[in-house]
Amino acid sequence: SYFCINLKLSAMKKVLLVVTLLFSIQSFSQLKNAKKYAKTITADDLKEHLYIYASDEFEGRNTGSEGQKKAVEYLRNFYIKNNIEAGDPDKDYFQKMKLNISRGNEGEVESENVIAIIRGTEKPEEYVVLTAHLDHVGYGMSGSRAGRNVNKIHNGADDDGSGTVAVLEIAQAFKKASEKGKGPKRSIVFLHVTGEEKGLLGSKYYSENPIYPLEDTVVNLNLDMIGRIDPTRKKKNRDYIYIIGSDHDSKDLHNVSEQTNDKTINLDLDYRYNDKDDPNRFYYRSDHYNFAKNGIPIIFYFSGTHEDYHMPTDDPDKIEYDLLESRSKLIFYTAWNIANRDQRIVVDPKPEIKKFIVNKDKLNSYTGTYGAKGFPIKLKVFVKEDKLFIDAVGQGSFELNPVKKDKFKLEEAGIELTFDSENNSMKFKQGPFDINLIKE
């Protein structure tokens, strides 16, 4: 009956109110303890780190280069100096890998992720993972907006020196708390990933070779470019941070993020780029994506691009250090809350997705190199391990996801391909581009 339904709704609202109040009380109590340690995250310390990390000595930290090796040593030495435990099985702070870099035809290089951990006191086998990418584009031989072969050091102070030094300061704050008997209930993993500029390669490697089980990874908080102000932002207040992905997989995570901010730093949490279909595709363009693909809730913290993005001028003197401090503190508080609450972050149930299957003969009929007059690149389509891939020359290869008969998507780039095998053609759609390509 109507009366009965209203009683149920009223009761449910009371339960939700009680749960919210309990969270608020627990959260407030936790954050009270955290404030003492958040004070150790300072603009001066962030600046001191960044002027070293984004200096010419590190030569732009190109993946596999001598400058990148200096960068990983700097990170490792920080963790050793602060007595923060190595997070890798060999206990040398490095997760080593060989990467085949197709962008710029750099070929095979040896590189490493840097990983440290503070073990949880009550739930040590549940993990909160903080990520920032340690690399940049080196001398800009590829990846520079100044043009190919510019041959100038790209220091990458904001991208992603800002996120990198923030992770260091957050790690130090958690360590100081641990030393005072206030260590996190869950383990905190500090993961500096390599090869982001080459196609999220370091985080992809970690996701395929996880040191800590992905099913036990509660959340990934990813920090990438958090030190500047976006000149295209309509609102003119400085005290903001873009939040991407917090509500994509977990309403619970989104609520924790919002409530933590309300009780602490009170930044303007801006969701301008949060939509997965935003034309900038930021959700797909940083290391959190390799966690999200595996069903792990994520938050991507970002302050926007600017005129120095992927330019030789992305230098430490351009960073807004007071904002970098407040943003780093917010991320510390959020990680603290997630690590110390009684229940792990609740993942929203996913609707069942029916996978469209394409047989091998049909896949082979799509293979070939496609192009068109006036179209700037050639697209090579090939089959590997019964899956269809596309290779945009010099940009690397990507797996295509079949969505219906003759139609495939590359979600990360917002690309839709429709094949016409009989006419040896392919319709390419991306944003405003809608063009018919012919097989050579």
Side-chain angles (χ1 to χ4, degrees):
S1 71
Y2 177 80
F3 177 69
C4 189
I5 289 170
N6 269 296
L7 275 177
K8 284 179 182 174
L9 286 172
S10 177
M12 188 172 282
K13 283 178 182 175
K14 285 178 182 175
V15 169
L16 287 171
L17 179 61
V18 169
V19 169
T20 302
L21 284 171
L22 283 173
F23 173 82
S24 297
I25 292 164
Q26 184 191 36
S27 174
F28 179 76
S29 172
Q30 289 169 14
L31 292 172
K32 201 173 173 185
N33 290 328
K35 285 184 180 178
K36 178 180 177 181
Y37 305 105
K39 287 178 184 175
T40 68
I41 300 170
T42 67
D44 286 344
D45 286 348
L46 290 159
K47 186 175 185 178
E48 184 179 344
H49 284 304
L50 194 51
Y51 264 83
I52 298 168
Y53 195 76
S55 67
D56 285 356
E57 182 188 352
F58 291 75
E59 299 180 280
R61 309 185 301 278
N62 191 46
T63 302
S65 70
E66 187 180 332
Q68 186 248 290
K69 303 300 181 187
K70 289 181 181 178
V72 297
E73 286 297 338
Y74 184 84
L75 301 175
R76 171 159 68 178
N77 289 337
F78 173 87
Y79 288 113
I80 292 171
K81 181 181 176 184
N82 284 273
N83 201 26
I84 299 171
E85 182 187 344
D88 65 300
D90 296 332
K91 300 300 176 187
D92 67 355
Y93 295 90
F94 291 164
Q95 183 185 31
K96 295 176 178 143
M97 66 196 77
K98 285 184 179 178
L99 298 174
N100 194 356
I101 299 175
S102 52
R103 291 185 184 181
N105 297 314
E106 291 182 47
E108 190 172 87
V109 303
E110 292 186 355
S111 193
E112 50 279 301
N113 293 331
V114 179
I115 186 163
I117 187 169
I118 292 175
R119 304 274 175 185
T121 57
E122 294 181 21
K123 301 171 188 283
E125 293 184 354
E126 291 184 13
Y127 304 93
V128 174
V129 178
L130 274 68
T131 49
H133 70 88
L134 60 88
D135 62 306
H136 195 50
V137 297
Y139 283 84
M141 307 306 277
S142 66
S144 174
R145 290 196 308 115
R148 287 183 70 83
N149 303 319
V150 65
N151 205 25
K152 288 183 180 177
I153 293 174
H154 291 55
N155 283 319
D158 193 26
D159 186 12
D160 184 28
S162 60
T164 299
V165 300
V167 170
L168 296 182
E169 284 290 290
I170 291 167
Q172 188 180 63
F174 271 110
K175 180 62 179 177
K176 288 181 185 297
S178 293
E179 289 170 347
K180 296 294 184 182
K182 302 289 185 185
K185 291 179 183 178
R186 292 177 177 83
S187 296
I188 313 282
V189 177
F190 308 99
L191 177 61
H192 301 265
V193 290
T194 189
E196 190 269 356
E197 302 289 7
K198 311 300 182 184
L200 316 184
L201 300 183
S203 57
K204 182 176 186 287
Y205 185 87
Y206 180 87
S207 72
E208 293 171 353
N209 305 273
I211 291 173
Y212 304 104
L214 297 184
E215 62 267 25
D216 297 325
T217 301
V218 172
V219 72
N220 170 233
L221 306 180
N222 183 41
L223 293 61
D224 193 353
M225 298 182 65
I226 59 168
R228 297 279 294 267
I229 293 171
D230 182 351
T232 70
R233 188 169 179 267
K234 289 180 182 176
K235 292 171 77 174
K236 295 304 175 189
N237 60 314
R238 296 174 73 251
D239 53 340
Y240 77 95
I241 186 76
Y242 291 130
I243 298 285
I244 299 174
S246 65
D247 61 350
H248 289 186
D249 298 294
S250 172
K251 291 184 180 66
D252 187 24
L253 175 60
H254 179 74
N255 292 338
V256 171
S257 169
E258 288 271 343
Q259 290 164 342
T260 303
N261 181 57
D262 288 346
K263 288 180 172 20
T264 57
I265 305 298
N266 204 24
L267 290 178
D268 181 356
L269 303 186
D270 192 326
Y271 297 94
R272 174 184 180 185
Y273 298 119
N274 186 48
D275 193 324
K276 287 183 181 181
D277 291 326
D278 179 84
N280 294 283
R281 316 299 290 178
F282 287 129
Y283 173 69
Y284 303 96
R285 287 171 56 184
S286 191
D287 295 296
H288 59 275
Y289 185 61
N290 282 315
F291 289 86
K293 278 200 302 189
N294 285 284
I296 296 165
I298 65 94
I299 302 178
F300 174 22
Y301 296 93
F302 176 57
S303 57
T305 58
H306 40 74
E307 64 275 12
D308 301 304
Y309 172 65
H310 279 219
M311 294 288 283
T313 48
D314 182 6
D315 291 323
D317 61 329
K318 309 273 182 69
I319 299 295
E320 310 271 355
Y321 287 97
D322 60 330
L323 294 182
L324 182 54
E325 177 190 311
S326 60
R327 291 161 179 168
S328 301
K329 284 179 173 175
L330 172 63
I331 298 161
F332 167 71
Y333 282 130
T334 305
W336 181 286
N337 247 351
I338 294 166
N340 285 300
R341 58 186 237 153
D342 290 336
Q343 301 299 319
R344 68 181 281 169
I345 291 294
V346 178
V347 182
D348 296 341
K350 295 281 190 300
E352 190 177 340
I353 298 171
K354 288 185 179 177
K355 186 118 175 139
F356 193 82
I357 306 296
V358 184
N359 70 48
K360 195 171 181 179
D361 288 341
K362 191 66 174 169
L363 284 177
N364 285 326
S365 74
Y366 302 137
T367 60
T369 301
Y370 295 78
K373 190 176 179 181
F375 193 67
I377 56 174
K378 303 270 189 183
L379 299 177
K380 183 181 177 184
V381 177
F382 62 96
V383 174
K384 185 172 77 174
E385 296 175 354
D386 296 336
K387 294 175 183 175
L388 200 65
F389 286 78
I390 186 171
D391 184 1
V393 179
Q395 296 299 311
S397 58
F398 304 91
E399 185 183 341
L400 295 170
N401 181 41
V403 290
K404 58 173 70 172
K405 185 175 183 290
D406 295 327
K407 185 171 284 188
F408 292 75
K409 282 188 175 181
L410 175 56
E411 202 71 51
E412 293 90 331
I415 290 172
E416 185 178 280
L417 305 175
T418 306
F419 292 92
D420 183 349
S421 301
E422 288 183 12
N423 293 302
N424 288 321
S425 67
M426 172 179 74
K427 189 176 184 183
F428 175 95
K429 194 172 188 316
Q430 183 187 38
F433 284 106
D434 192 344
I435 187 167
N436 206 49
L437 305 180
I438 304 300
K439 190 190 291 191
E440 293 180 352

